[in-house]
Amino acid sequence: MRSLICPVCRATNKDAVICRRCRADLSLLHELDDYRIALVERARGAVAVGDVEGAKDWLAEAERIRPGSDTERVAALVALLERDFAGAWHHYRLAFSPREP
Ligand SMILES: [Zn+2]
């Protein structure tokens, strides 16, 4: 289940295409979120084959849309591949900090 915040009224909507409060159309936000999820998956795939630069590119594009715990988890893996242990710890901690709806 995905949770989106309505840009019009700030209501949290769970898998709703129409905002439960103000009836705004959220379908474009769902499409953008689907695209973001695909970018994070591409970054994970790049990590799996050791493609650090590719993973960074996919992550950067996903984070331009919205940073989140999923991008921080992959960023931690990228940092580990680069043997940047302090960076990995930083991203790991961000991944589990309460900042997402
Ligand atoms: Zn709304």
Side-chain angles (χ1 to χ4, degrees):
M1 180 183 304
R2 115 175 64 190
S3 177
L4 290 178
I5 295 175
C6 175
V8 178
C9 72
R10 309 295 297 163
T12 300
N13 291 275
K14 305 268 187 211
D15 278 338
V17 177
I18 302 294
C19 177
R20 63 180 170 76
R21 184 188 293 161
C22 74
R23 313 303 293 164
D25 181 357
L26 304 175
S27 60
L28 288 177
L29 286 178
H30 281 279
E31 285 182 31
L32 186 61
D33 198 52
D34 288 344
Y35 176 61
R36 182 188 170 282
I37 290 168
L39 291 170
V40 174
E41 283 305 311
R42 287 180 185 167
R44 282 195 184 108
V47 165
V49 297
D51 177 11
V52 172
E53 294 308 314
K56 285 180 174 178
D57 289 345
W58 296 121
L59 270 182
E61 191 164 345
E63 288 186 324
R64 273 195 293 274
I65 297 170
R66 179 180 54 83
S69 61
D70 54 352
T71 57
E72 294 298 345
R73 287 193 299 270
V74 178
L77 295 173
V78 168
L80 286 174
L81 286 175
E82 293 183 305
R83 305 188 61 79
D84 172 12
F85 302 113
W89 179 242
H90 169 77
H91 289 295
Y92 176 84
R93 291 184 65 185
L94 286 176
F96 295 99
S97 66
R99 69 174 180 172
E100 285 193 63

